[in-house]
Amino acid sequence: MYARDNVSGANRSQEQPTPAQVNAAVDAFRMLSDGTRLRLMWLLSSDEQDVNSLAQAVGVPRPSVSQHLAKLRLAGLVDTRREGRRVLYRARDSHVRALIAEALFHADHEVSGQPRHD
């Protein structure tokens, strides 16, 4: 249960996440801790793509990209749809897209030395 759903009116930062929520977040972060998977998710956050396009974009062999996509799909971070014989992949939802964007915005601040902000 999220704090916004709580009738007590507590805000989200005051209420502890459940063990199931923590485990789900840890699993998502574990999947994103691989550089290839993070690059794939960044690409899939803005557009649907097939395995061949993704392999070319990240410079990784197609079989390796397929294995990474299978893991991301099992983790619930990626959805697929069929278009004829092709399978198109995309980031599952706005929460996943926001997570990827925020992680990379944070990394940009770390690498570029830009001042932090709240």
Side-chain angles (χ1 to χ4, degrees):
M1 178 162 104
Y2 291 107
R4 70 174 179 246
D5 299 331
N6 190 344
V7 293
S8 71
N11 74 37
R12 182 176 274 177
S13 65
Q14 294 172 331
E15 189 171 317
Q16 292 267 345
T18 66
Q21 290 169 325
V22 169
N23 289 338
V26 167
D27 289 343
F29 284 124
R30 187 177 294 120
M31 284 293 109
L32 298 174
S33 68
D34 178 88
T36 299
R37 287 194 291 264
L38 185 57
R39 284 193 297 273
L40 291 170
M41 289 302 300
W42 180 79
L43 291 167
L44 295 173
S45 291
S46 61
D47 195 18
E48 288 183 317
Q49 297 194 40
D50 64 13
V51 176
N52 290 328
S53 299
L54 290 166
Q56 184 177 6
V58 296
V60 174
R62 186 184 184 284
S64 180
V65 169
S66 290
Q67 289 177 356
H68 284 298
L69 289 169
K71 289 178 183 181
L72 291 166
R73 187 174 179 199
L74 285 173
L77 299 174
V78 169
D79 277 337
T80 61
R81 76 173 177 89
R82 230 176 227 295
E83 186 176 87
R85 297 181 71 194
R86 292 177 31 196
V87 176
L88 297 172
Y89 294 83
R90 67 177 177 266
R92 184 168 186 186
D93 56 36
S94 63
H95 296 293
V96 172
R97 289 187 295 275
L99 179 64
I100 300 305
E102 287 300 321
L104 292 172
F105 288 148
H106 168 74
D108 187 45
H109 283 280
E110 290 293 314
V111 172
S112 70
Q114 292 178 11
R116 300 190 191 314
H117 52 86
D118 286 331

